[in-house]
Amino acid sequence: MPPTAPRTLRQDISLLLRSAPPKARAAILALLPAAKAVLDTGWRPDMHAAPIRNWRDLMQLLSGLTAQRHDAETLLRVTSELLGIADEMAPPEVVLRESAAVLLRAFHADMFVCRLRDDEGEWQIIAAEREDGGPIPLFSPVLEEGLAGHPVMRAVCDGTRHVLSNNLMGMDRGGDSYDCMAYKVGYRSRLAFVLRDRGGRPPFGLVLLYSEREHGFDSYDARFLAKCSRIVALTTGSRVAVARDALEKAAGAVAHHGNNALAILRNHAEYCAELLDDMADDWDDAMHAADDLRELLPEGSKAHAAAARLADVLHRMDTTQLTEQLDGVLRSTRRIARIIDALEESAERPRLMHYVLGRHVLDLGNPADEEEEMETLRKTCCTA
């Protein structure tokens, strides 16, 4: 007998479809064009090979194929948008808020909450926004890393990059939420991304997405969420780390060269002030000597007139204004030193302010310094 020809893929699928219930058969037929379109693009799914024994295995394969394609497109879109907003340096709170807005859209969430870690290891809310622009629930303003029972704080400590929670009831009711206010107002699931930058530093930020749907984020594959969390941490963390690194280098250079130049300037100004003090004493002696000389010389003589002119000139040579100007120079050097200190501090917590033409620059000012400067300007104008 001639050997039996192996069945084609079409024949295998037809056999599986015959054994499927009508509704399942319709679902499989609906998935086939989408799966074929995915494979026609040249994209290959990242899934383990498994034998297809029945129609259930076939449906699972086709569903996973289309889902992974959707996940890949979502990951590409998230990456593109996160890179698109990374053109400008911004404080960490702005970076988190902008990144959270991207994730809110990508994961079809209803609300995001951003937290930043302070120096004491406490996580403070710095931004929150609902997709519909509505009011934000009253969250706990601070979370402590010592809350071992809280899944997000546990992830912060054990190195996990993302946490999916579907039980937002309070801990006293068996839930995994420190405060159940989100649950009370209708939120049922939470997806948290733990953002870690380079250099072995502790995590610096949290982006928490909330959904009003039960198991709102369960449709996303665990491997996809792991990849997405790495992308979010890489792009967001790198944006903060690069800005911090640039500021640290700039601040270090300014501190080194600027403080050296300021020290020289301050020494010169202080020396000039000492010279002025000595000159003031000499001027006093010279004025008294000129007055004595004028009294000793015969009135009406040329010598008496010359002594009178000398006394008049010496009386007009007041060093008070020059002393005040030198004092202003010394105050300015101290202010520049404080600005250099503020620049070094801004490497960790930069503050931006509006500048000309809509640009933003680092805000290194001190209100007390600005008031002192205005007072000095007023005195200078009045003197002039």
Side-chain angles (χ1 to χ4, degrees), residues 25 56 60-61 82 87 95 102 117 137 147 157 164 171 215 218 221 224 238-239 241 247 278 281 305 321 369 375 382:
R25 189 182 307 145
R56 293 182 180 84
Q60 184 177 2
L61 172 64
L82 288 176
D87 294 335
V95 175
V102 170
R117 184 182 187 274
L147 294 171
C157 297
L164 180 60
M171 292 180 177
H215 302 274
D218 281 5
D221 181 73
F224 162 72
S238 294
R239 187 179 174 192
L247 279 176
D278 295 338
D281 294 337
Q321 291 187 20
D369 289 336
E375 182 64 25
C382 292

Side-chain angles (χ1 to χ4, degrees), residues 324-339 365-381:
E324 290 177 351
Q325 295 301 318
L326 274 176
D327 184 59
V329 172
L330 288 172
R331 287 198 304 271
S332 297
T333 59
R334 289 191 290 269
R335 181 182 178 187
I336 294 175
R338 289 192 291 271
I339 290 175
N366 184 303
D369 289 336
E370 294 173 1
E371 292 177 5
E372 181 180 345
E373 182 180 16
M374 293 302 297
E375 182 64 25
T376 302
L377 287 174
R378 282 194 293 270
K379 289 181 179 179
T380 304
C381 293

Side-chain angles (χ1 to χ4, degrees), residues 43 50 58 85 107 110 126 161 210 212 245 365:
W43 184 82
L58 177 61
I85 62 175
F107 286 89
D110 298 304
I126 51 93
R161 291 185 178 272
Y210 289 83
E212 296 176 349
D245 184 63

Side-chain angles (χ1 to χ4, degrees), residues 8 85 108 119 150 162 169 173 178 229 328 337 359 366 381:
T8 64
I85 62 175
H108 307 289
D119 295 335
H150 195 285
H162 75 276
M169 290 190 294
R173 298 180 58 190
Y178 179 68
S229 62
R359 298 173 59 189
N366 184 303
C381 293

Side-chain angles (χ1 to χ4, degrees), residues 68-140:
Q68 286 195 37
R69 175 61 178 178
H70 175 266
D71 288 349
E73 291 175 346
T74 301
L75 187 62
L76 181 62
R77 185 170 65 254
V78 168
T79 304
S80 176
E81 291 192 35
L82 288 176
L83 291 175
I85 62 175
D87 294 335
E88 296 183 358
M89 186 192 75
E93 54 267 24
V94 176
V95 175
L96 250 67
R97 186 172 62 250
E98 293 177 346
S99 302
V102 170
L103 296 173
L104 180 78
R105 296 189 298 270
F107 286 89
H108 307 289
D110 298 304
M111 178 179 64
F112 72 74
V113 175
C114 299
R115 291 182 181 271
L116 268 181
R117 184 182 187 274
D118 62 18
D119 295 335
E120 285 72 37
E122 295 181 339
W123 292 87
Q124 301 184 0
I125 290 182
I126 51 93
E129 185 177 319
R130 276 177 45 166
E131 191 274 335
D132 59 2
I136 303 297
L138 184 63
F139 286 95
S140 174

Side-chain angles (χ1 to χ4, degrees), residues 150-151 167-172 175-182 190:
H150 195 285
N167 184 358
L168 299 186
M169 290 190 294
M171 292 180 177
D172 56 337
D176 57 13
S177 181
Y178 179 68
D179 51 16
C180 56
M181 187 58 67
R190 177 185 62 216

Side-chain angles (χ1 to χ4, degrees), residues 338-353:
R338 289 192 291 271
I339 290 175
I340 292 174
D341 292 339
L343 178 59
E344 292 182 293
E345 293 174 0
S346 69
E348 288 295 331
R349 286 288 185 270
R351 294 182 293 117
L352 298 182
M353 66 179 185

